């Protein structure tokens, strides 16, 4: 099962970022605004029925952090050279790195060795398409929580089901695991 921890982008920030996606031409596939997030740890093939340690770890880490400010900057590409596959907007907050490292170092799961680069994916390329000129944002929001998400790939795009919300220490208890499905 595909799982990931992430900070979800609040609606008022989605509404300010999404208009930049209108600049896409060709074979870019825009990410739905309500799917925008910053991935903290991705587990593409996590064993079914073994998510309890992930829920406990999310609780533990959220209780060790206060809410923090996330700044949204300019757009870029992965990879930056040649033909990019992902168009993203960079995000900044030292806490994102700290939380990502805490999650990946304490989960007994073989993560890929990739440098953590906090970002919000705006689009993925499905074939030849021109690059979009740089877009600069001067936005920020205070992150009060992160989530554990179950992702299911569909021909029409992924569906997300939030398994649990982990609130940071100054925002109280974590949610009692209500499931929220985002399609």
């Amino acid at each position: 099962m595909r799982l990931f921890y992430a900070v979800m982008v609040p609606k008022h920030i989605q509404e300010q970022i999404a208009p930049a996606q209108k600049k896409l031409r060709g074979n870019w596939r825009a990410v739905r605004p309500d799917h925008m997030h910053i991935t903290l740890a991705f587990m593409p093939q996590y064993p079914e029925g073994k998510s309890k340690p992930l829920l406990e770890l999310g609780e533990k880490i959220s209780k060790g952090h206060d809410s923090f400010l996330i700044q949204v900057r300019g757009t870029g590409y992965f990879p930056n050279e040649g033909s990019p596959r992902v168009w993203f907007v960079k995000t900044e907050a030292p806490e994102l790195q700290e939380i990502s490292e805490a999650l990946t170092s304490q989960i007994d799961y073989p993560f890929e060795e990739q440098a953590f680069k906090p970002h919000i994916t705006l689009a993925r390329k499905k074939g030849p398409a021109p690059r979009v000129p740089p877009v600069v944002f001067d936005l920020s929001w205070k992150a009060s929580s992160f989530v554990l998400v179950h992702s299911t790939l569909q021909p029409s795009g992924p569906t997300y089901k939030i398994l649990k919300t982990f609130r940071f220490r100054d925002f109280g208890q974590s949610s009692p695991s209500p499931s929220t499905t985002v399609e």
Side-chain angles (χ1 to χ4, degrees):
M1 73 194 273
R2 292 167 49 93
L3 297 174
F4 61 90
Y5 290 102
V7 174
M8 300 306 289
V9 176
K11 188 169 179 132
H12 72 281
I13 298 294
Q14 295 169 15
E15 291 171 350
Q16 295 179 71
I17 295 172
Q21 295 173 311
K22 292 180 181 172
K23 299 175 188 269
L24 295 169
R25 300 289 178 260
N27 292 310
W28 286 105
R29 184 180 199 175
V31 171
R32 290 177 28 186
D34 63 327
H35 280 188
M36 291 179 178
H37 64 271
I38 303 167
T39 301
L40 298 168
F42 179 63
M43 298 150 280
Q45 296 179 342
Y46 197 81
E48 292 276 346
K50 303 280 186 187
S51 60
K52 184 178 178 187
L54 301 180
L55 299 172
E56 293 171 351
L57 180 60
E59 287 284 343
K60 175 183 165 188
I61 290 176
S62 66
K63 290 179 180 172
H65 286 83
D66 286 333
S67 58
F68 56 91
L69 194 66
I70 297 176
Q71 297 181 327
V72 180
R73 300 300 190 196
T75 58
Y77 295 94
F78 293 134
N80 192 31
E81 301 290 326
S83 181
R85 295 183 312 275
V86 172
W87 184 48
F88 67 91
V89 61
K90 183 179 177 183
T91 57
E92 296 177 346
E95 293 87 348
L96 292 170
Q97 180 80 39
E98 293 169 17
I99 294 169
S100 176
E101 286 177 5
L103 290 167
T104 57
S105 68
Q106 296 180 49
I107 299 171
D108 186 20
Y109 182 81
F111 289 95
E112 293 179 357
E113 294 292 328
Q114 292 184 349
F116 178 70
K117 296 179 181 176
H119 67 278
I120 302 165
T121 298
L122 298 175
R124 291 182 176 81
K125 195 162 83 173
K126 301 298 179 188
R131 289 178 179 240
V132 178
V135 180
V136 177
F137 299 96
D138 185 18
L139 305 170
S140 63
W141 84 90
K142 192 171 187 176
S144 61
S145 64
F146 65 97
V147 294
L148 179 63
V149 178
H150 178 211
S151 170
T152 305
L153 296 178
Q154 306 284 339
S156 59
T159 59
Y160 296 157
K161 179 179 181 183
I162 295 175
L163 301 178
K164 187 151 186 159
T165 299
F166 308 102
R167 299 196 188 289
F168 294 121
R169 121 178 101 202
D170 58 338
F171 275 85
Q173 298 295 316
S174 297
S175 68
S177 28
S179 293
T180 303
T181 301
V182 180
E183 296 181 19

